[in-house]
Amino acid sequence: MLQLAARELRPFLASAEQAQRQYLGLNTHIMMLSPSNQTFAKLIDRASRGEYVPYTNTEQDILEAVYPGELFDGKAALF
């Protein structure tokens, strides 16, 4: 998965997971994140304003708010 992301220069890659929540989130035990400056600022801004669901109380919550699991299951999009 990471080799594919590196080859294609994708900014984010992770797998979706349901866990014990009511929405599809991300499994970030293995992920790749290399955001543009604009996306990095967006992540920091969202975290600063508390615009995320506090499920894990980690960076995963902010990532799930920007990269919904149902859209990014094993994929990535350019932002």
Side-chain angles (χ1 to χ4, degrees):
M1 181 168 75
L2 291 177
Q3 289 175 346
L4 171 66
R7 230 184 354 253
E8 296 182 7
L9 301 175
R10 294 182 182 195
F12 178 73
L13 192 64
S15 296
E17 75 173 0
Q18 187 70 41
Q20 296 178 10
R21 53 186 149 203
Q22 299 301 312
Y23 61 93
L24 190 62
L26 298 170
N27 182 332
T28 60
H29 79 277
I30 182 168
M31 69 170 181
M32 187 200 73
L33 177 66
S34 57
S36 66
N37 289 339
Q38 180 182 8
T39 300
F40 179 77
K42 182 179 179 179
L43 292 167
I44 296 300
D45 184 55
R46 186 176 286 265
S48 298
R49 291 187 288 154
E51 293 181 352
Y52 58 90
V53 176
Y55 179 73
T56 65
N57 293 315
T58 68
E59 74 285 346
Q60 179 174 337
D61 297 335
I62 290 87
L63 291 171
E64 288 176 348
V66 175
Y67 301 102
E70 62 272 8
L71 300 178
F72 295 98
D73 183 15
K75 305 176 197 82
L78 296 173
F79 283 95

